[in-house]
Amino acid sequence: EVQLVESGGGLMQPGGSLRLSCAVSGFTVSSNYVTWVRQAPGKGLEWVSVIYSSGTTYYADSVRGRVTISRDNSKNTVYLQMNSLRAGDTAMYYCARVLRGMVVLAPPYDWWFDPWGQGTLVTVSS
Amino acid sequence: SSELTQDPAMSVALGQTVTITCHGDGLRTYYASWYQQKPGQAPVLVIYGKKDRPLGIPDRFSGFSSGSTAALTITGAQAEDEADYYCSSRDSSGNRHWVFGGGTKLTVL
């Protein structure tokens, strides 16, 4: 069974740092794309970051320079290091596997997130 | 960057059909995927690709995509379908990001 389990959230002060973990079972992180998505209280979903099987990483503009996604293949775990935390980072953070449809010669192309973890809550407040 | 637009809220009578739409120029390049989120729970994939449905998702959920519009249809809505629904696609601007629509809160009357 494919499963992702997030941990590491908590109450943090502005300016602090935090590392979130996404422990994966049922697939290998080194051969797949894994993404982080967050949801502020009462708000919609916001894409945060992705790590490719190649190790290439991308970040949303709202977190670039403050957040680093990485993975430990031996632990089959993906991490999200968050620095210089702000009140606006307060959210539930979800990780998910990224899947891709068949490679086609012309668009539309097909990508989706499945499954998702249960999330870990990060609260930034003084 | 790309943007996806959804109606904030919709309602449907029990047993009736409702279609939730998602608009964005980026949908001409990337299919939308649809996620159902119930209060206090993580999102769950319900539709991906042009009209594919993951195992375990009831066949009353269906998808459609054409041009800059994607649609999620629930045929014979049930009380348990009351949830927030989000569309998502890859950003077509070339920045390798993903984007989400603002979500549609579906109420089953």
Side-chain angles (χ1 to χ4, degrees), chain A residues 65-78:
Chain A
R66 301 187 299 117
V67 165
T68 303
I69 189 171
S70 63
R71 69 186 181 214
D72 184 332
N73 295 338
S74 67
K75 296 182 178 179
N76 213 34
T77 298
V78 174

Side-chain angles (χ1 to χ4, degrees), chain B residues 16-20 60-62 72-77 81 85 106:
Chain B
Q16 296 304 301
T17 297
V18 62
T19 296
I20 301 169
R60 63 178 179 272
F61 289 87
S62 61
L72 171 69
T73 297
I74 307 174
T75 304
D81 300 333
Y85 290 86
L106 179 66

Side-chain angles (χ1 to χ4, degrees), chain A residues 50-103:
Chain A
V50 66
I51 184 166
Y52 286 6
S53 51
S54 65
T56 300
T57 59
Y58 293 97
Y59 302 94
D61 294 345
S62 59
V63 302
R64 186 179 298 112
R66 301 187 299 117
V67 165
T68 303
I69 189 171
S70 63
R71 69 186 181 214
D72 184 332
N73 295 338
S74 67
K75 296 182 178 179
N76 213 34
T77 298
V78 174
Y79 303 100
L80 191 70
Q81 177 69 42
M82 304 179 65
N83 301 322
S84 302
L85 287 165
R86 309 166 177 170
D89 295 320
T90 294
M92 184 70 79
Y93 285 74
Y94 299 100
C95 60
R97 182 177 62 174
V98 183
L99 292 172
R100 180 180 185 178
M102 291 176 57
V103 176

